DNA sequence: AACCAGAATGGCAGCGCTGCCAAAAAAGGC
DNA sequence: GCCTTTTTTGGCAGCGCTGCCATTCTGGTT
């Protein structure tokens, strides 16, 4: 870089204001504002003069000021549990595409599956007066719920439908997913079924799948034979390790349900490495329907969830200022070759 | 939900302002502001009175107004190429942890590997007057660079060091990665080497790795035998397909370099499915060092990149208002079992 | 030529907060 | 008890923009 003088100059924001543009264009401030937002009426000639001045001065509108002066902001706040689990980037991807198209701006923070942290982050988010706050699921602290209700801003709860929404909910039923997974395995004739999962206290949606999975097995008179729950987040390595441990305790399983595809892939690799034939010796079933599950030699049997669509729909509802509602996007059972 | 009256009430933001808190606490506005920001001096008694009023009214400060009134904002803007490629969520994860701790707020948009879109999104970001804009790599349009320079806000270019930084750069050399990958394969005795990659015009960092990989092979007198480049983004499925196509054309390869681990995993699965022995019949080498690469039966040979650390360091430099600099975080070659 | 609707424009008061300054209160110092 | 220093406090002018309202132009109409 260069000398300190230049650095100093550099630090002073070259803050061109709307007033300066107005002056340069020889028009009033409100005229510039109208032209820039293409709102209200103005002549073509004026428009050209303004745009020329904008161009010449390199004016960049200040949305902070604009938001303060007008009413609602065009920020949408996401408080997500994790960025490691691809589920949430997928949701963000869907949402951000729609938001960008509508000149909304996505803001996010990561609560790390911790309701207390979620509350703190939601509070910090509300300070930006977003148009909406988007959260994962229904399990929030009392404080979070109260704060969100009082804020008057829209709230969207994502990826879960088993509970009461604060405002809008977009997703699918995790209980139904657990149920259908169990029904599928039973239909296929599996009876000695085990489970490998990650920390369910934190990932409550995985917990819901697990409990309704078990209920379905119970109702069939063939309860879960064994389960192995690992602390920490879901990962391929934990899935591998979990299955290894499970099989050490329960030797005669014919199928294993995993908390999600990452975990299931770990199980699949364990079988590959140990020469356990899939599905004849052991069937494997996951959850999420990740692309990678279709690229392994035997496509993974799993449930595909509409993650990107969840983000898209959520964003669309906010952009359209839709009334409170719960949108069920469903899911798709993929038969695959592992169960 | 309930009747329209309630809905109406609900819509009116219960906007408690600082002035109202001041009135309720029986103190001046500036006193409330000082207490809330814990800045300047005030008595313990006053503090209690203010906090009680804040609690009672459920006051949430308005950061929009605060940012406008003070100078710099605490927003950090990310313009990333993709959210599908886990690389960028990883960077965001590292950065957001640091930012949250310092009361900064992350804002993002997805440019989809399109420089034109990047320019538009960067412009939209600048309108929020962020403390910093973070982008992937050095390949920006003329307009983007000019705009960023003129903005006076900090700029961080991530995940690349082969080029000239606008301000701060944090990452590692993709050219060095390509070089070392080639050197490793040569050291292991592979001579008939191929390449499978995804769209290099868009992912310029992958392009840099590829070109320095080829240069290294050339310098050794054993140039690349064949390559297969697929349009579209990297994915496991594209890796599988790419290797299938490559092997159809070049039957006597002894190693294949992939544009990243996703692609390499696809190649690995193709070999598994086709009964191609790894690495004796064909060696496979990736890039990124994803966790999943270590959980497959034969750990993937690859280069592990410090993605989370890239985000962390970038955020730390911004929080500390560090001077312009390039930070090389290096990478680690993982020998694995596939090459 | 007088009149009028409608288009085009400018002025200015805030949006809710922070930063500065001056005033008031508390705390010492002799 | 009087004066100085330090701490605590309130008032108020903006930050850059939008929204409202009043005003000035246009271009017909009668």
């Amino acid at each position: 870089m260069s000398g300190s003088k230049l650095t100093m100059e550099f630090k002073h924001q070259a803050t061109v204001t709307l007033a300066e543009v107005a002056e340069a264009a020889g028009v009033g401030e409100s005229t510039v504002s109208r032209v820039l937002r293409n709102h209200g009426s103005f002549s073509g000639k004026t428009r050209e003069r303004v745009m020329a001045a904008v161009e010449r001065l390199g004016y960049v509108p200040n949305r902070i000021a604009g938001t303060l002066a007008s009413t609602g902001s065009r920020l949408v706040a996401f408080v997500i549990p994790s960025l490691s689990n691809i589920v949430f980037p997928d949701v963000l991807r869907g949402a951000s595409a729609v938001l960008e198209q509508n000149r909304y701006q996505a803001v996010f923070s990561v609560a790390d599956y911790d309701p207390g942290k979620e509350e703190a982050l939601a509070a910090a988010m509300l300070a930006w007066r977003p148009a909406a706050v988007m959260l994962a699921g229904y399990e929030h602290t009392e404080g979070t719920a109260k704060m969100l209700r009082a804020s008057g801003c829209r709230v969207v709860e994502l990826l879960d439908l088993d509970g009461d929404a604060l405002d809008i909910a977009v997703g699918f039923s995790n209980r139904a997913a657990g149920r259908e997974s169990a029904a599928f395995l039973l239909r296929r004739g599996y009876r000695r079924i085990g489970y490998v999962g990650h920390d369910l206290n934190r990932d409550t949606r995985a917990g819901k799948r697990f409990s309704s999975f078990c209920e379905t097995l119970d109702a069939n008179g063939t309860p879960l034979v064994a389960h192995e729950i690992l602390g920490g987040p879901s990962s391929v390595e934990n899935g591998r390790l979990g299955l290894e441990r499970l099989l050490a305790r329960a030797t005669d399983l014919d199928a294993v349900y995993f908390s999600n595809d990452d975990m299931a892939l770990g199980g699949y690799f364990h079988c590959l490495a140990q020469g356990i034939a899939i599905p004849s010796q052991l069937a494997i079933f996951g959850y999420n329907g990740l692309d990678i599950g279709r690229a392994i030699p035997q496509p993974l049997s799993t449930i595909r969830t509409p993650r990107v669509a969840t983000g898209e729909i959520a964003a669309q509802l906010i952009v359209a200022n839709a009334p409170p509602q719960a949108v069920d996007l469903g899911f798709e059972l993929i038969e695959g070759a592992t169960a």
Side-chain angles (χ1 to χ4, degrees), chain A:
Chain A
M1 296 277 122
S2 36
S4 68
K5 256 181 209 158
L6 190 58
T7 307
M8 290 300 286
E9 277 181 60
F10 191 72
K11 279 196 176 175
H12 286 294
Q13 301 244 4
T15 315
V16 181
T17 67
L18 185 144
E20 293 175 286
V21 173
E23 164 123 67
V27 300
E29 294 183 38
S30 14
T31 302
V32 177
S33 177
R34 274 185 297 255
V35 170
L36 257 36
R37 287 179 299 151
N38 196 31
H39 174 275
S41 62
F42 44 83
S43 70
K45 203 184 319 168
T46 308
R47 191 195 134 79
E48 276 169 38
R49 286 235 305 274
V50 169
M51 293 316 272
V54 165
E55 190 68 29
R56 183 150 36 89
L57 301 179
Y59 172 67
V60 177
N62 184 333
R63 297 254 272 178
I64 298 278
T67 302
L68 181 61
S70 62
T71 42
S73 88
R74 277 175 178 266
L75 287 173
V76 172
F78 293 82
V79 182
I80 55 175
S82 156
L83 274 170
S84 315
N85 188 336
I86 191 68
V87 166
F88 303 103
D90 276 348
V91 173
L92 290 181
R93 179 152 60 95
S96 88
V98 173
L99 294 179
E100 277 158 23
Q101 229 153 10
N102 290 277
R103 302 184 48 236
Y104 279 72
Q105 187 59 69
V107 185
F108 75 95
S109 28
V110 181
D112 202 25
Y113 289 105
D114 174 343
K117 212 165 167 184
E118 183 185 75
E119 179 166 347
L121 292 172
M125 287 297 195
L126 286 177
W128 289 102
R129 297 292 187 272
V133 178
M134 303 211 183
L135 309 154
Y138 294 122
E139 283 72 29
H140 317 299
T141 66
E142 195 60 44
T144 305
K146 189 180 157 194
M147 184 168 57
L148 289 174
R149 254 191 303 260
S151 74
C153 87
R154 302 305 302 266
V155 178
V156 186
E157 288 161 292
L158 303 164
L159 300 172
D160 195 358
L161 287 179
D162 305 308
D164 290 317
L166 286 166
D167 180 1
I168 292 177
V170 182
F172 33 83
S173 166
N174 283 274
R175 292 203 187 285
R179 213 154 44 224
E180 289 200 22
S181 303
F184 174 78
L185 291 177
L186 291 171
R187 214 156 56 232
R188 288 274 173 146
Y190 301 109
R191 288 298 177 269
R192 300 201 46 84
I193 301 175
Y195 174 81
V196 172
H198 60 283
D199 191 343
L200 300 177
N201 291 113
R202 294 158 70 93
D203 188 342
T204 58
R205 285 166 296 289
K208 289 176 179 178
R209 294 193 294 275
F210 181 43
S211 68
S212 65
F213 182 86
C214 290
E215 283 161 24
T216 308
L217 292 190
D218 288 344
N220 189 62
T222 55
L224 195 78
V225 174
H227 63 273
E228 177 71 35
I229 309 237
L230 292 93
S234 71
S235 69
V236 179
E237 175 54 22
N238 270 346
R240 198 198 58 67
L241 187 63
L243 184 58
E244 184 175 29
R245 288 190 190 161
L246 185 72
L247 293 180
R249 290 192 289 116
T251 49
D252 58 347
L253 297 177
D254 57 13
V256 175
Y257 179 49
F258 288 81
S259 53
N260 65 29
D261 281 1
D262 296 273
M263 301 289 284
L265 283 168
Y268 175 80
F269 294 144
H270 177 72
C271 293
L272 273 192
Q274 299 296 311
I276 301 173
I278 298 173
S280 57
Q281 242 180 302
L282 187 72
I284 282 179
F285 199 89
Y287 173 82
N288 260 341
L290 302 188
D291 286 343
I292 190 173
R294 286 189 287 177
I296 59 179
Q298 295 169 274
L300 185 64
S301 299
T302 186
I303 277 184
R304 178 153 56 223
T305 55
R307 303 178 296 280
V308 176
T310 296
E312 286 169 352
I313 303 286
Q316 278 161 8
L317 291 176
I318 289 309
V319 167
N321 194 29
Q325 61 192 287
V327 180
D328 189 350
L329 296 176
F331 50 77
E332 181 192 359
L333 197 145
I334 299 179
E335 302 213 350
T338 65

